[in-house]
Amino acid sequence: MTSRPAPPAPGRPAAIRARGWGWRHAGRKAFAVSGLDLDIAPGERVLLLGASGAGKSTLLHALAGVLGAAEEGEERGSLTLDGAPASGVRGRAGLVLQDPDSQTVLARVGDEVAFGAENLAVPREQIWPRVRSALGDVGLDLPLDHSTSALSGGQKQRLALAGALAMEPGLLLLDEPTANLDPDGVTEVRDAVRRVVDRTGATLVVVEHRVAVWADVVDRVVVLAAGGGILADGTPQQVLGRAASRDELARAGIWVPGVRPATRAEQRRSGAVLSPVPSAGPAAHGEALLEAEQLTVARLRRGAAVVQDVSLQLRRGQALSIVGPNGAGKSTLALTLAGLLPPSRGRLEALAPLDRGAGPAPHRWRSAELVTRIGSVFQEPEHQFLTARVIDELEFGPRRVAGLSAADARAKVEELIVRLRLGHLLQANPFTLSGGEKRRLSVATMLATGPDILMLDEPTFGQDAHTWAELVDLLDGLVMEGRTVVSVTHDEDYTAVLSDSVIRIDGGQAALAGADR
């Protein structure tokens, strides 16, 4: 009988030390992180930046001891917490991921917060005081038996943070914790983290692409270089405040506060560049494809309505953003418009240019009919991956749905591979990609089938400044071709640059929030 490990000593901030450290995922030629030399003192608060794919999440997972065994990758150098290998001191670090749904295990709030501490063999009499303290730290004033499935996005992220805090870690690791939250949710989570590290003194490492919200919480900024090692390291003012440093970071694709990447889409809308003649022809642009009238949507068949009485037309060559607070029903509306959920009440009809003999009700179409007419990119990219290689994922739709030959399928996806910077990942397993790479792959897989309407749920999360601009320009090009792009998003820059109309969902109602440009 094996003895259970002793729980880690609480309340002691952890020290991090890396010397020549690197990690290569199994099946990948390149190292995700390489040549890393880094010291983080106990109690330091560090913002970890880097271009998409620079290895930020890999480093956090390594510090949390969850990268996997030797057969899952190759490690070089050393990475230690308090002088011991990080992989051997699980429990010293608490990790909060960018998608709270992916780390919610149990049905009740109290049980969920207690889960990590229970797995660390914390004595029973200590667990529930820790649970209540952690919920108080994050400002989640709910009964312990409250359903985790009834929480909003911001509440789920605070719940995940509370679960990490109940472990009383010496190191708190946050992987884009506010990526999919509305502005109020961002503030809630940021303020909760500040309260916790003020009270506990824990060492903090937070990864975010958008840095302004964390700049006054941390005392140090570390920027990983895409080719290995460190690009910049210093105080927020040293790294983000000096003109020379800001310019270098911007060239590397780092989001610099107050700087929005230049895009052809924004130049076109401002009149700085001429718009090409739409390939679909002037008559086709503006043609109605999908019409909703007094539409009510629900998350479950016969479930309670979440958005009511929506009336709209989706037109060829339109870019529409759906905005609003977490839990308002934005994704549910998008899934219904995309034919993946049946309407609860009202009318949703595909018009003649879109139905092409498939019938007027998108939710009744066969999958092969749907994917070539309305393509959906889910908020969680992993939910739509079907194969073990990126190239197979890209070619799956053209080959299996559209019936193209191998050569024609490769030609179909070649431009997407280049535009979305996926060329070096073609042999990789999609599930081993970074969050930003997974998002670009999920967008590319839908674009490869050539749908008339593209539905995207949080399309820009995890993107650095360069890949964000590439994605915006790619979608703008689709709009110019006469395709329709509908985006559920909290990204105000994305909406400002790409969308010609905006619908705001709040309190169960939908309202046009921005007139057509």
Side-chain angles (χ1 to χ4, degrees), residues 45 73 102-103 112 116 137 189 346 366 403 503:
R45 306 176 183 185
S102 69
Q103 59 195 109
E112 179 67 27
D137 278 336
V189 170
R366 298 190 305 273
I503 287 180

Side-chain angles (χ1 to χ4, degrees), residues 204-259:
L204 171 68
V205 181
V206 56
V207 168
E208 282 278 8
H209 275 291
R210 302 301 182 91
V211 304
V213 70
W214 294 98
D216 64 346
V217 176
V218 302
D219 43 44
R220 182 178 174 191
V221 177
V222 175
V223 184
L224 297 184
I230 292 176
L231 179 64
D233 185 356
T235 67
Q237 180 59 32
Q238 289 170 337
V239 175
L240 301 172
R242 296 175 179 172
S245 176
R246 288 168 62 89
D247 290 344
E248 182 181 19
L249 295 180
R251 287 193 298 271
I254 309 302
W255 283 98
V256 177
V259 177

Side-chain angles (χ1 to χ4, degrees), residues 364-379:
R364 299 187 186 279
W365 293 348
R366 298 190 305 273
S367 58
E369 294 173 325
L370 186 62
V371 76
T372 56
R373 292 166 172 80
I374 308 175
S376 294
V377 177
F378 303 139
Q379 188 171 116

